[in-house]
Amino acid sequence: MTATTLSGRAQTVFLDPALVRRNRIIGIVLLVLAAVIASGFGIGVEGNAAFNLTPPRALIPIGSLIVPVAPYVLVIAAIIAFMGVRLLMKSGSRYANLLLGIALALAITAFLTWATAGKSLSLIGLLQATVVRAVPIAFAGLAGVLCERVGVVNIGIEGMMMAGAFTGAVAGSLIGGVGGLVAATVVGGGIGLLLALLTVTYRLDHIIAGVVINMLVLGITSYATSQVLVSNRALNQAPVFRPIEIPYLSDVPILGPMFFSHNIFVYAALIMLLSATYYLFHTRLGLRARAVGEYPRAADTLGIDVFRTRYINVMLGGMVAGFGGAWFTLGSVGQFDENMTAGRGFIGLAAMIFGRWHPLGVLAAALVFGFADTLQQKLVILRTPVPAEFLAMAPYILTIIVVAGLVGRARAPAADGHNYEKS
Amino acid sequence: MIITLDNITKRYGSFVANDSISLSVRSGEVHCLLGENGAGKTTLMNVIYGLSKADGGQISIDGKAVQFASPKDAIAAGIGMVHQHFMLIPAFSVTENVVLGLEPTLFGDRLDLDAARKRVRDISAQFGLEIDPDAPLEGMPVGIQQRVEIVKILYRAADIMIFDEPTAVLTPQEVIEFFKIIESLRAAGKAILFITHKLNEVMEIADRITVLRHGKVVGEADPATTSSGELANLMVGRPVSMLVSRTEAKAGDVVLALENVHVTDGTSKLALDGIDLVVKAGEIVGIAGVHGNGQTELIEVIAGLRPIVDGRICFAGGDIAGISPRERHRRGLAHVPEDRSIAGLAVTMSVAENMVLDSYYEPRFSRFGRIDWSSVRKAAAQLVSQFDVRTKSVDASAASLSGGNQQKVVIAREMSRPIKLMIAAQPTRGVDVGSIEYIHKRIVEARDEGVGVLLVSTELDEVLALSDRILVMFDGRILAEFDSRTADRSLIGLAMAGVVTQSQTHAPEIAP
Amino acid sequence: MTTDIAVRPAGFWRSELAGSVMLVLAALVTALVVAALIMVFSGVSMPQIGLALTSLATGSFGSPQAISETLVAATPLIIAGLGFVIGAKAGLFNVGVEGQILIGGMFGLVAGFSFPDLPMIVHLPLALGCAFVGGALLAGIAGWLKVASGAHEVITTIMLNFIALRFVDFLLRNPPVQNPERSDPISRFVADTATLPKLFAWFDPSMRVNLGILLAVLVAVFVAWLLWRTTLGFEIRVMGANQQAGRFAGMNTARTVIVAMMLSGGIAGLAGATLTQGVLGRASPDFAAGLGFEAIAVALLARSHPVGVVFSGILFGALTAGGRRMQVAAGVSLDLITIVQAIVLLCIAAPMLIRTIYPFLFRPARES
C-alpha cells in the first residue's frame, strides 16, 4: 500500500466574493468622495486658511499654520482618489477599512480648511474642546465596556450618568465638590447594583432593564428638579472643579494644552481608561471577568462565581458612569438641568462598539466623537454656508458611518446579553 | 485513591434522571459508564462535579463523605472533568484557558503568564501532550482542544478524571492517540471515569464497565468476560441491529453534479477546494469526514446559502448558480440541516408552523398573501401521524418536543413535497435509538422511491450503515471514494485523517 | 401508534388573561405606593398627596372630559407601540420610534398644508399615507444598514433619532414649513381637510378625542391580522424566532428584515401624524417629547402583543392625563408619572418581583 500524506497546496488564490464586492463599493465611494472634495472645497476657492497654534491663555504666541486652501484640498482629493483606484484594482485588499478611515479623516481636514478659507481658527482651542467633549463619552463607553465584558448589556448608562449629574449637583451644593463627586460615584454604583439585581438575579431582559433604569432616573431627577430644586436654589449651586495645569507636561506644545491643562475629570478619565486596560487584560480578576462574558458555563465549571463577577463589574461600570455623570454638573456648569445628559450615554455605547470593547479603543472613539461635536460648534462660528442643524447632525452621521462602514459585525463578548442559569 | 458513589438520585420535577446510582473508581483504573443518549450519564457527571446537587445519596473519596456545593469544591477534592462540549474560551490562548480559575499571580493581582506558560509546557512534556501554550483556541482542531482540556485538569492536579463522550468529535486516528493518553494517565495512577455510548471503545479501554439505562444501573461487567452484543442489549434494553435492512441500490439518472466547486469560508480562505461530486436518483451517497473539513460549506453551497466562487453545480438538469434557495426547494431539493435548533426549526413556534416553514406561501396554504391556517393544521396533523411525531397537538411549540421528535418534524417537512434530492446532514444527532432506526428507515425508503440522497455525517457507523457509495472529505476536498459493499473501516478512517492509497482516489463521473 | 391531534382554531388569545390583569393591578398599586412615598420624601403634605392621588383618578376616568383626555394621550402611544411590536416580532429592537414619530409627523404636516383644496376624503388619507412613508423611510435606513453591513439597529436608530430631531429643527426654521407669520420655529397649521376630526365635537366642543383613537384600534387589528394571518407576518415572526431557520427554509431574510423595519417605522410615523394632524395641528421643535420611548415601554408592558398594546397604551395615557390634572390640582410635578410608569413596566417585565412582594396573590400557581 502506497500511502501519501497530503502536503500543502499551491495554486490560484480565490477571493471571497463578499470581500471583493465590499472593496469595490468602498473604492467607488472613495472616488466619489475625492470628486466631491475637489469640486466642492478646492476648485475656485481663493485664499489661505490660518490655524492658530497658540493656547488661549498663553503669553508667547507660537504662530499659525497657514494653509493655502485650493492646493491643499486638491492634494487631499488626489490622495483619496489614488486610494480609491488602488482598491478597485486590488479588490482583494485587506486594508479597505483602514483606507476608508484615513480617507474620511483627510476629507474632514479638507473640509475644515475650506471652511476656514480667508479666516483664522484656533487649532489648539479645537483640540482642547475635543478632549473636553470626549470626556463624558469616554466615561460612558468605559462603563459599557465593564458591563459588557462580563456579559451584561447596559442600555441604562444614560440613566446612570444622569443620576451622577444630579447627585453631583445636589451633594456638591451641600458638602462641596469632592463630596459631590463621591456621592455621584456611589449613586452610580447603586444603580449598577440595581441593573445587576434585575439582570443577574431576576434574569430580566437586559434591554428592558436598561429602559426601566433610564425612565426611572429621568422621572426621579426631573421630578426632584421641578418639585424641590426650583424652590431651593441653594441645592443646585455646586462648585465647579477648576483646571489644574500639570507642571512641565502642560508646557509641551499642542499636547500640553490638549491633555494637561484640564480639570480633574479629564485626568480621571485617562487614569480610569488605563487602569481598566490593565485590570481587564493583565490581572487575574480581569481574566476571570472576561471569561464570564465569553463563556459563563466554562467559568462556572472552573469554580468562578459567575453571579458575583457580574455583580461586581456591573457595579464598577455604574460607578464609572456616575463619576462621569458628575462631569455635567461639577465639571462644567455646576447646576443640574432636566435631561442634561442629552443622549451622551447612548453615544458612549456607540463608542464602546467602535472601540471594540477595549478601553483604549473607547478613548480613540470618544476623541473622534468629541472632535465631531466640537467641529460643528466651531463651524457655526465660522459661518459656513451649511445650515447649523445639519452640522449638528455630524456626530450622529459619523457614528452611523463608523458603525456601519468601519466596524460592521464587530464581535461582542460571546455571552453578551445572555442571562446565566446554573444547571 | 478511590471515589465511591452511593445511591445517587437526581430528579428534575417528576422526572428521575438518576435513580439510586452506585459505583466506584479506583486509582489506576478506567471505569466505563455506558449508556445511550438520555440515560442519565451527563446528569450523574454534573452531580459528581458539583454542577448540580443530588437529591439523595452520598459521594465519598477514600471513605470520607464529601459535599460539593460548586465545581470549586470538586476541583479542590481532586476531581477534574473533560466535558462533552469543551469548556474552552475561543477568545483566549491555550495558557489562559488552562490557568483560568487558578492563576499564578505577581504583585497587584497581575497575571504571571510566564509562570503559567512554563507550567503548561511542563505538563505537556510530562504526559506527552503536545501543545503550543501561546496558540489561540479559535480555529484549533478539536483533537488539540481536547488536549488543552486534559492539560487543564492536570494543571489542577486532579487524581480523579471524568471524560464525558470524549471521542465523539475525534477522527479514528485521533481516537488512537487519545487512548494512548488515557493509558499514560492510567499508568500515572489516575482514577478515570469514561462516559460513552460506543461499545467498541468500551471493550478496548475499560477495566470495569457499568451500564446505565433510563437513569438506573442495569448491569456491571468485566470486559474480559463479556461481549459487545451483551452490552448492547443491556444498554438499549432490547436487541438492536446496527445494520439497516436495505436492498441493492438501483441508481438512475444524475440529479446532482458538482464540478470543480470552490467556496471560501467568508474570508479569503478556501473551504471547498475543487469538489467534484455526483449523486444519482435512487442512491445514497455518504460523506464521511471529521467535522470542519468543508461538509458544512458543501451542504450550504448546494442549498444556495453560500456563494460559489468557482465551478458549476447542476441540479435536476440545469446549472443552479445564482438561483435562490426557494427556487431550489421548488425544483425538488430537500435539506435536513446539520443542527436542527440552529437552522432546522423555530423552536418557539408551533409544530404546525414549523411543518410549513418552507411551503407556507404555496397555493395549498395561502391565497393573496393570507395563510389558511386550517389547511396548514390539517396538513401538519397528517404529517405528524405519518411520521410518528409524538406531540400533544400540532399547536404545541416545537420546543416541547424531544430531540428525536423535533428531528422527525424537520424530516417530515422536507419529505412532504415531491423531491428529487435530499441532503441529510447529521440526521440523527442527539436523537434516541428508536428515532434513529425510524429516521434511517425513512431515508432508505426515500432512496427506494428514486430520490437521490446526500448523507453527511461525522458518525462513521451511520455512513457505513446507510450509504451505497462513501466519499471521504478532508480539508475541503473529496479525498477518497469507497463502495460500501467492500469498504474497509480502517481505510476510511485513514482517509478521514488525510491519508489515502492510490486505488481509492476519487475519480468522479462527469455529468453530461 | 395513532396520534390524537387536537385541531382547534388558531388564536392569539391566551387563557392567562386573568393572571395578567392581576399582575397589572398589583404593579399599579406598587407604583402608586412608591409614588406616594416619593411625595412624602419631597415634602408634599399628606392632604396634598391625597389630592394628588384622587386627581390622578378623576383626571383619567372621572368624567367624559377626562376619558377624552386619556384617549388623546393614549392614541400616539398605542400606534407607536404597535410600530415597535412589528419590529420586536422580527427580532428587531427599534429604539428609533421617537425619530420616526417626528419624521412621520412632519411628512403628514407638509402634506397636510400643501394641498388645501383637496376634499377631506382624499386629503386626510393622503396625509396619513405620507406620514407612514416618512417613518418607513427613516426606519428603512436602519433596516438597510443592518442587512448590508450588520450595524446593530439599536445604535443606528438612536443616531437617527438625533438626526431626525435636528432635521425637524431645520424644517421649522425655514420656508416652506415655518409659519410665515412667526419668527420662532413653529410650523404652519395643517389644513382642516387633513385634520383628524374630533369625535364628540357635537356633544362638547372641548372634548379633544379624535378619529386617531379609532385609527389606533384599526392599526392594532391590522397588526394582529398581519402577524398571524398573512405570509408576510409569518415571515416576520420566523425572523424573530429563528432567522437562520427562515433562511434555510428559503425565505429572503434581508428583504423581510427591511420590510419589517419599514412597517415598524411607518406605523410609528402614523403616530406622529396623530399629533401634527390631530391635537397639535402644527409642529414645534421636539414635538414627540419622549413619546417614542414611552411607546416602547407600552409595547414591552404588553409583552409585544398587539391587542395588549391597546390596553397598556390606555393605561399609560390615563396616567398621563391624570398626571396633568394632578399637576394642576395638587401642584405635584407631572414627572412623577414617569416614575410610576417605570415601576409598572419593571413589575410586569419581571413578574418574579411582584410574586416576591405579594406572594398571596399568586398562591394558586398554575402548574404547567
Side-chain angles (χ1 to χ4, degrees), chain B residues 286-468:
Chain B
I287 304 270
V290 179
H291 185 77
N293 274 291
Q295 296 98 319
T296 305
E297 289 80 4
L298 175 67
I299 297 161
E300 289 186 3
V301 77
I302 298 171
L305 301 164
R306 191 175 274 275
I308 179 168
V309 174
D310 192 24
R312 236 158 75 89
I313 303 180
C314 292
F315 171 58
D319 191 330
I320 53 169
I323 284 180
S324 72
R326 174 163 293 175
E327 182 55 29
R328 294 179 199 212
H329 278 244
R330 282 211 197 102
R331 293 189 186 181
L333 177 77
H335 176 197
V336 178
E338 275 181 298
D339 190 324
R340 63 180 163 274
S341 60
I342 291 178
L345 294 167
V347 290
T348 53
M349 297 177 91
S350 73
V351 170
E353 286 173 317
N354 274 294
M355 285 286 192
V356 296
L357 212 52
D358 60 349
S359 55
Y360 63 94
Y361 62 90
E362 290 176 6
R364 57 193 169 122
F365 297 131
S366 66
R367 253 186 199 191
F368 306 115
R370 185 181 178 280
I371 296 182
D372 176 10
W373 284 110
S374 71
S375 57
V376 167
R377 208 173 265 103
K378 264 185 219 133
Q382 206 185 343
L383 285 171
V384 159
S385 60
Q386 198 184 331
F387 282 80
D388 192 21
V389 180
R390 316 272 165 102
T391 175
K392 276 186 298 198
S393 103
V394 292
D395 297 312
S397 78
S400 68
L401 270 55
S402 72
N405 283 304
Q406 288 184 350
Q407 189 71 355
K408 285 185 200 165
V409 171
V410 176
I411 288 176
R413 177 181 74 216
E414 295 301 324
M415 292 174 73
S416 66
R417 53 202 161 83
I419 53 171
K420 295 196 179 80
L421 175 76
M422 174 152 122
I423 305 170
Q426 313 290 0
T428 57
R429 178 192 278 173
V431 164
D432 59 289
V433 170
S435 300
I436 290 179
E437 274 185 61
Y438 183 82
I439 290 167
H440 283 174
K441 204 176 86 196
R442 278 291 181 168
I443 292 175
V444 172
E445 276 173 21
R447 179 200 75 161
D448 293 342
E449 287 159 15
V451 174
V453 178
L454 185 67
L455 170 76
V456 179
S457 177
T458 49
E459 291 282 339
L460 186 49
D461 290 329
E462 179 165 54
V463 175
L464 281 168
L466 286 178
S467 311
D468 300 309

Side-chain angles (χ1 to χ4, degrees), chain B residues 3-4 48 57-69 73 77 79:
Chain B
I3 179 166
T4 313
I48 301 177
Q58 180 64 55
I59 303 172
S60 44
I61 293 175
D62 289 339
K64 275 195 295 267
V66 285
Q67 288 276 336
F68 301 146
D73 300 340
I79 297 177

Side-chain angles (χ1 to χ4, degrees), chain C residues 8 26 32 36 96 105 107 111-112 126 141 150 171 188 194 225 234 284 318 320 336:
Chain C
R8 61 174 176 77
L32 290 176
F107 270 60
L126 173 77
I141 296 174
L171 290 179
R188 293 165 185 267
W225 176 81
F234 183 65
S284 52
T320 307
L336 190 66

Side-chain angles (χ1 to χ4, degrees), chain A residues 11 14 16 28 84 100 112 114 171 191 205 214 235 243 246 262 269 275 279-280 289 292-293 306 397 408-409 416:
Chain A
Q11 16 93 310
F14 289 91
D16 186 54
I28 291 166
L100 182 60
L112 196 58
W114 166 75
I191 299 176
D205 179 274
N214 287 337
L235 282 177
I246 306 270
H262 288 285
S275 341
Y279 160 66
L280 282 172
V292 165
V306 174
I397 294 175
R409 290 167 221 268
D416 208 7

Side-chain angles (χ1 to χ4, degrees), chain B residues 222-283:
Chain B
D222 180 341
T225 60
T226 191
S227 73
S228 24
E230 278 172 63
L231 285 177
N233 286 346
L234 266 180
M235 180 167 88
V236 184
R238 65 194 156 88
V240 282
S241 60
M242 254 330 270
L243 288 173
V244 181
S245 66
R246 60 196 182 91
T247 52
E248 196 77 350
K250 289 187 273 297
D253 298 336
V254 170
V255 285
L256 176 75
L258 275 70
E259 282 171 39
N260 195 28
V261 169
H262 289 77
V263 164
T264 57
D265 66 352
T267 64
S268 282
K269 194 172 162 283
L270 276 184
L272 293 185
D273 182 8
I275 296 279
D276 294 303
L277 168 73
V278 163
V279 179
K280 292 180 189 152
E283 71 166 351

Side-chain angles (χ1 to χ4, degrees), chain B residues 16-276:
Chain B
V16 185
N18 285 165
D19 189 355
S20 305
I21 293 177
S22 302
L23 59 86
S24 69
V25 193
R26 273 183 294 273
S27 268
E29 84 167 352
V30 177
H31 190 139
C32 276
L33 192 59
L34 185 66
E36 64 163 316
N37 289 324
K41 295 170 295 181
T42 301
T43 306
L44 185 64
M45 290 314 104
N46 288 342
V47 169
I48 301 177
Y49 196 59
L51 277 167
S52 51
K53 213 171 139 42
D55 298 309
Q58 180 64 55
I59 303 172
S60 44
I61 293 175
D62 289 339
K64 275 195 295 267
V66 285
Q67 288 276 336
F68 301 146
S70 76
K72 213 174 187 165
D73 300 340
I75 294 167
I79 297 177
M81 176 154 169
V82 175
H83 298 261
Q84 186 177 356
H85 302 288
F86 295 153
M87 293 293 170
L88 296 169
I89 294 163
F92 284 12
S93 74
V94 167
T95 304
E96 286 173 327
N97 267 295
V98 169
V99 300
L100 182 65
L102 196 73
E103 307 85 347
T105 51
L106 303 164
F107 60 92
D109 203 47
R110 190 182 170 86
L111 279 177
D112 189 353
L113 277 178
D114 290 329
R117 213 170 279 129
K118 189 175 171 305
R119 285 282 289 135
V120 172
R121 275 207 195 92
D122 289 350
I123 293 167
S124 52
Q126 189 186 342
F127 291 91
L129 296 154
E130 220 174 283
I131 41 174
D132 171 10
D134 293 315
L137 249 285
E138 192 116 62
M140 203 174 249
V142 274
I144 313 284
Q145 289 192 24
Q146 190 169 55
R147 281 185 212 163
V148 179
E149 281 282 23
I150 297 171
V151 172
K152 212 164 109 181
I153 57 179
L154 289 169
Y155 172 79
R156 284 166 178 72
D159 289 315
I160 300 157
M161 305 176 82
I162 307 169
F163 291 87
D164 189 1
E165 299 279 2
T167 58
V169 290
L170 303 181
T171 63
Q173 267 60 38
E174 283 174 325
V175 171
I176 294 168
E177 283 287 303
F178 173 70
F179 280 179
K180 278 187 202 147
I181 295 170
I182 293 283
E183 294 289 350
S184 73
L185 293 172
R186 167 159 59 191
K190 307 289 182 190
I192 294 164
L193 189 54
F194 190 108
I195 303 161
T196 184
H197 65 275
K198 296 183 179 171
L199 293 168
N200 50 349
E201 291 176 358
V202 173
M203 297 302 286
E204 189 176 338
I205 197 85
D207 295 310
R208 283 199 293 154
I209 301 165
T210 297
V211 184
L212 220 55
R213 174 158 37 100
H214 298 318
K216 288 199 187 89
V217 173
V218 291
E220 279 158 43
D222 180 341
T225 60
T226 191
S227 73
S228 24
E230 278 172 63
L231 285 177
N233 286 346
L234 266 180
M235 180 167 88
V236 184
R238 65 194 156 88
V240 282
S241 60
M242 254 330 270
L243 288 173
V244 181
S245 66
R246 60 196 182 91
T247 52
E248 196 77 350
K250 289 187 273 297
D253 298 336
V254 170
V255 285
L256 176 75
L258 275 70
E259 282 171 39
N260 195 28
V261 169
H262 289 77
V263 164
T264 57
D265 66 352
T267 64
S268 282
K269 194 172 162 283
L270 276 184
L272 293 185
D273 182 8
I275 296 279
D276 294 303

